[in-house]
Structure formats: structure tokens, C-alpha cells
């Protein structure tokens, strides 16, 4: 899963520019000197396979790279493509009136940490009043599948629905990347975020843990999050509907999409309103998801403006 | 210097295919979590500058990359180019009768280690009978400059003198890379290495230290070594002469070139003859180098069959 997530994250930089094809991938791997031989022989081939599988899902393949020894495991890579101007969308065309769409729920860092805390009583005690172990396990699974999901479907739909700009949401969190994107715009625009789609219960955990993740401030890292896409107002709901039709449950699905904000005239910054609406996204394997499969639909946009 | 060497090594993979231009470079950096802030603020910008300076010397520039935190410092990168078929030389065209040329002396790993041992009496005592501290310092400087030297001049001359195949000599040592190259040949050939150009005194150190480096077996790592080039017999001396004319002393020079062996009919392997001739290459800053600036000339080929 770590290999898959790394590959999804590497490819995501292409997808954020609306590029759906990758010519070539390199894999960069550091093998931990602290692993014993048995673990190393077991773990590293699985990690490499995950990376390769995700590359194959992206219609590309790993042709080279480099492996080094290091105290920590590291996996990453490089995705390259040579393409025509009409194959990519420069991330600088947002205009006032556009709508902001996010294609994966937030909260993956919280989910991964909470899952580790299942075995750490001192930390678990801080959150056990707001979440069950089962809910943490479901959220962890959701986070894994979400991070391993390629943003390729979204990249393709960016062309179909005339996206004006996009970025992928990774280590700097939603607001960090939204700010970076806002800074690059040709027009005087500001991004205003009203809704935060978050894996169910992660908001409660984040609050119970003293807001250390700054999840509701949009600053929790997402590692391999979705695309944040600026779309013409009349296209946003259709984009979300089509993303949802691709996300019907299976692993490798596109993960849905949520309208989260609007583009206004402004000074090339992004902000989250004071009391954003939290959209609790049920993990796809959960009972809630099975009962309510409309949760990731575009109708959530009604709360905007 | 570490940044420069890393960049030279990254570019070297292109140069080994006779490619002299690089379209784009990425820099990959891991900053050590164990450095204090003061050292980090001092060291990392210098390392980045070294990498960028070498990229600039290669006529290219660093446009992106990634930085992570890690116990160890790591610096590396990716060099990409899109080019026409006539701009690269596939490394598979060696034929019997070709001559093997090496464009940097061997022994950089020995030099770097010996330099560290200046402060480790127990290790220094093992080699102090065969080398002076001054000689170790000169060899270390030579190794630094040599590893930081781009193989770009050699890449250009590969076209001028119709090279049939080449590889760069790095972590697997001369014989390791010679074997890899031999395996890729279209013709049934074997590479036979007769001469080993080695930074002066490194052979003596290697022997005094119990042959731990396997330098004379061609297995000592070179990190950022020269190109091993298969040239038509009638071109090899001219290639070396022209390499030498580019290497007139200054930092950033091409580093000379030595005829080290021949291509015979064989089973796609490389070997070093039982008693190879050792060519002691004086460090460029040394008295020996100032007295004898012919040391890296092609006349050394006279020893060959």
C-alpha cells in the first residue's frame, strides 16, 4: 500500500495539470539498514510491486530509478511526459465566479495517526470517548484506499468540464495548496472555502486531541490527497456527478468530489470561512456508506454562496 | 563539493550515451534531522549551490525537485532530455578491435577514506609507511575535483570520434560497469583491461590496507567516475589527445583520458589481466603534476598489444 500511495502521489503532479498519460516513471527507493534480512526480503518486493501496480493502473510503467541504503525507508519517484499544449491545463486561469471542487476527503493524516494509537493506551485514552476502535479501523482503510487512488479520472474530467486551474492536495494541507494555487493566478482572485469534506469521525478525533493536526484550519497533511479544481460555475455539479459515477465502491475508484468553495475577486490568497460546514464522509467499507451512497454527491453544493 | 559531485553523477548517465545537452534537472535532497539549525543553515544552501553550479556548467538548470527530512543527508537528482536519434549513441555497438578508453583516474574511494583516516591513528598507522599526509591531502583534492568534473567533454568527443558504446564508472567500480556494458553488446565481444590509471599512491594505500577496496580488481566504488568508451582503434589516441587538451589544469577541466584495454571476440564479459599496468596519475595540484604534465596523454597506450 505504501508503494501504491507513493506512486499515486508522484503521478498526481501530472494529473493536477490535466495530464492523463505518463511516458515514463522512475522509482526511488531507500532500503532501511535497520531491517533484518527476512523483513527486508518480505517488505521491499511488496513495496516495489505496489508502486508498479499503481503505475500500470496509470497506463505507464517504471523503467528505471535508484535504490540506496538509509536508516529510514523512503519510496518516491519521478513521472515524466512530453505532450502537446492542448494536453495540459496551465494552473493559472481561475476567474471570479468559479467554483472550487475537491476530489478526495480530508483527514488521512488523522486517520493514520489514530490507527497507530490503537496500541498506545495513553494516546488512545484521549480520543476513546469520541470514536470506537471499529470506526478508527474503517477510517484507516478509507485513508489507505483514498491515498492509493489515482487522480487520473479527475485529470480527464478537467478537460471535459473546462477546468480553469487545479493543484493536488498533499503535504501542506488543503489551505496550503489552495494558497499556492491562488498565488499563481493571472486574475486578481481569492479562494474562499466554505465546506470541508472529511473522513467521518476525524473531526471529532482532531478536536479531542487538542487540534494538534489543525485539520479544520486546512493544514493537516494529506500525503496523497485529491485535486482541488477551479471549474466554471455551470460545470462544477456535472464534474462532481461524473466523478461520483466513477467511484462506485471498488478499490481504485476515483473517490467522489465535493464542491467546497468559490472564487472571488481578491488578492491571490485562499481562506477558510470562520465556521465551515463539515461534511462527514463515511468510509466506503462502513455501514453508513452502505446505507447512504449519496454522501459524495454534488447536491452538497446547495449550502454555498 | 558534495552538491557538485551529485550533479555531475546525475548528468553522467546522459553523457554516457553521448548526450551533451540536458533539458531539465530535478534536485532531490534529504536534510538530516540530526544537524543543528546553525549547521543546517550553513551546509544545505552550499550543497544546493554546488548542485546548481554544476547544472549550470552543464548548460542546464534545476527547475524542481523535492526535499525531505531524514537521519542522513542525501543529495541526488534526475536529468531529462528529449532528443533526436542522432543526438545519442546506443551503448551496444562495440566490435572486436575497438579500444577501451577511460576518462578519469580510479581510486577516488581510497582517497576519500585515506583522508578521513588522517584523524584516526589506528587506521592511519596501517598506511603511514607508504604515504605522507601531504600526499593524502593532494589525492583527496584530486578525487574531489575529479568527481565534480562533468563528463560532458567526453560525451561531445564520442560523436567526433565515432564511439561505439560507453558507460559511466560509478558505484560498481570499473570492472562492474565494464561487465554491464559488455553484456549489452550486439556483437560477441569481450572487454580486456590491461592498464589501470589510478590517482598516485592509492594503489600503495589499498595494498597496505589489505586490499579491502579491491581497487586493482576494478571493484572499488568511484561515485562519479569517468566514461569508459569503446572507440575504433584509429580514433582512440586522437580522442585521448583532445580530452587532454581540454584538461589543462583548471577546476572543471575534463580530466584527461587513458587507453586501458581492447575489445576482443568473446562472451560479453569484461576482465582485467592478471598483472595490469598501474598508471600512477599525479594529483593536478601536486609537484609531480607540475613537472610532468604529459602524464595523462595517449602515449600510455604503447603498452597495449
Amino acid at each position: 500500500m505504501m508503494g501504491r500511495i507513493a506512486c499515486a502521489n508522484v503521478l498526481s503532479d501530472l494529473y493536477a495539470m490535466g495530464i492523463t498519460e505518463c511516458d515514463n516513471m522512475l522509482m526511488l527507493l531507500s532500503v532501511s539498514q535497520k531491517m533484518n534480512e527476512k523483513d527486508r526480503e518480505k517488505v521491499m518486493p511488496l513495496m516495489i510491486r505496489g508502486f508498479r501496480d499503481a503505475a500500470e493502473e496509470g497506463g505507464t510503467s517504471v523503467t528505471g530509478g535508484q535504490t540506496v541504503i538509509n536508516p529510514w525507508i523512503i519510496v518516491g519517484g519521478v513521472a515524466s511526459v512530453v505532450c502537446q499544449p492542448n494536453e495540459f491545463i496551465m494552473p493559472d486561469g481561475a476567474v471570479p465566479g468559479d467554483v472550487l471542487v475537491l476530489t478526495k476527503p480530508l483527514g488521512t493524516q488523522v486517520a493514520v495517526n489514530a490507527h497507530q494509537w490503537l496500541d498506545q493506551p495513553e494516546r488512545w485514552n484521549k480520543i476513546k470517548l469520541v470514536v470506537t476502535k471499529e470506526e478508527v479501523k474503517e477510517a484507516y482503510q478509507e485513508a489507505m484506499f483514498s491515498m492509493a487512488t489515482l487522480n487520473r479520472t479527475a485529470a480527464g474530467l478537467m478537460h471535459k468540464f473546462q477546468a480553469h486551474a487545479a493543484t493536488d492536495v498533499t503535504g501542506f494541507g488543503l489551505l496550503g495548496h489552495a494558497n499556492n494555487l491562488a498565488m499563481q493566478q493571472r486574475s486578481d482572485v481569492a479562494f474562499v472555502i466554505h465546506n470541508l469534506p472529511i473522513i467521518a469521525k476525524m473531526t471529532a478525533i482532531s478536536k479531542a486531541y487538542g487540534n494538534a493536526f489543525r485539520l479544520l484550519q486546512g493544514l493537516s497533511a494529506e500525503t496523497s490527497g485529491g485535486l482541488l479544481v477551479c471549474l466554471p460555475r455551470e460545470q462544477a455539479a456535472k464534474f462532481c456527478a461524473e466523478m461520483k459515477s466513477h467511484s462506485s465502491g471498488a478499490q481504485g475508484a476515483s473517490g467522489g468530489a465535493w464542491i467546497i468553495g468559490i472564487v472571488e475577486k481578491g488578492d491571490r490568497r485562499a481562506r477558510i470561512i470562520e465556521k465551515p460546514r463539515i461534511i462527514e464522509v463515511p468510509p466506503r467499507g462502513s455501514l453508513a456508506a452502505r446505507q447512504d451512497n449519496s454522501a459524495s454527491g454534488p447536491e452538497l453544493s446547495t449550502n454555498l454562496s
Side-chain angles (χ1 to χ4, degrees), chain A:
Chain A
M1 194 54 99
M2 184 166 162
R4 274 189 175 268
I5 292 169
C7 185
N9 186 28
V10 170
L11 284 167
S12 189
D13 290 326
L14 298 184
Y15 297 146
M17 291 187 77
I19 293 166
T20 55
E21 302 303 322
C22 170
D23 291 338
N24 188 39
M25 290 198 83
L26 307 177
M27 182 170 57
L28 304 171
L29 195 65
S30 87
V31 178
S32 172
Q33 54 168 187
K34 290 174 184 167
M35 290 177 100
N36 63 47
E37 194 175 348
K38 192 183 150 207
D39 289 351
R40 196 172 60 227
E41 294 299 319
K42 183 123 192 168
V43 170
M44 301 317 290
L46 282 171
M47 198 175 292
I48 292 168
R49 199 169 83 194
F51 195 98
R52 289 198 168 143
D53 285 352
E56 195 178 310
E57 194 184 314
T60 184
S61 61
V62 178
T63 63
Q66 178 102 19
T67 302
V68 298
I69 297 284
N70 189 58
W72 294 353
I73 292 174
I74 304 178
V75 57
V78 181
S80 305
V81 67
V82 177
C83 63
Q84 301 289 338
N86 66 351
E87 292 176 77
F88 61 87
I89 296 170
M90 280 299 287
D92 62 3
V95 292
D98 279 355
V99 167
L100 300 172
V101 167
L102 181 67
T103 68
K104 290 182 186 175
L106 306 172
T108 54
Q109 186 186 31
V110 182
V112 169
N113 278 273
H115 188 255
Q116 290 174 336
W117 299 342
L118 290 176
D119 304 322
Q120 300 173 31
E122 198 178 323
R123 287 175 158 167
W124 176 251
N125 287 340
K126 287 192 188 176
I127 62 170
K128 69 179 180 186
L129 291 179
V130 302
V131 70
T132 67
K133 291 193 169 185
E134 191 57 33
E135 285 167 338
V136 166
K137 286 176 187 168
E138 284 174 354
Y140 177 74
Q141 287 301 322
E142 174 61 31
M144 290 296 115
F145 284 129
S146 176
M147 290 191 284
T149 297
L150 302 185
N151 287 321
R152 196 181 187 198
T153 304
L157 295 179
M158 283 173 63
H159 292 273
K160 182 168 180 183
F161 297 107
Q162 292 105 49
H164 289 157
T167 184
D168 59 336
V169 175
T170 59
F172 298 126
L174 173 64
L175 188 63
H177 291 281
N179 259 314
N180 286 344
L181 186 64
M183 274 193 292
Q184 301 301 321
Q185 299 310 306
R186 280 179 280 125
S187 302
D188 299 336
V189 291
F191 295 166
V192 185
I193 296 166
H194 298 249
N195 299 336
L196 297 175
I198 296 176
I199 297 171
K201 297 287 177 178
M202 296 307 105
T203 304
I205 291 175
S206 185
K207 285 179 177 170
Y209 206 74
N211 194 28
F213 297 103
R214 296 186 297 168
L215 176 63
L216 300 189
Q217 285 73 52
L219 296 171
S220 184
E222 300 296 340
T223 299
S224 175
L227 297 191
L228 172 65
V229 189
C230 301
L231 287 153
R233 188 175 196 80
E234 67 279 12
Q235 303 284 14
K238 286 182 276 182
F239 179 97
C240 291
E242 193 144 335
M243 279 297 288
K244 192 188 162 195
S245 78
H246 283 277
S247 76
S248 42
Q251 182 186 346
S254 62
W258 295 264
I259 289 176
I260 64 161
I262 53 176
V263 178
E264 296 179 345
K265 201 163 161 48
D267 59 353
R268 296 191 177 77
R269 269 183 277 188
R271 67 180 176 90
I272 297 174
I273 64 168
E274 202 172 330
K275 297 199 172 179
R277 176 180 168 208
I278 308 302
I279 301 167
E280 292 270 313
V281 179
R284 59 195 90 179
S286 69
L287 187 63
R290 288 193 292 273
Q291 287 171 341
D292 172 20
N293 59 18
S294 71
S296 63
E299 68 277 15
L300 295 164
S301 66
T302 51
N303 226 33
L304 274 176
S305 71

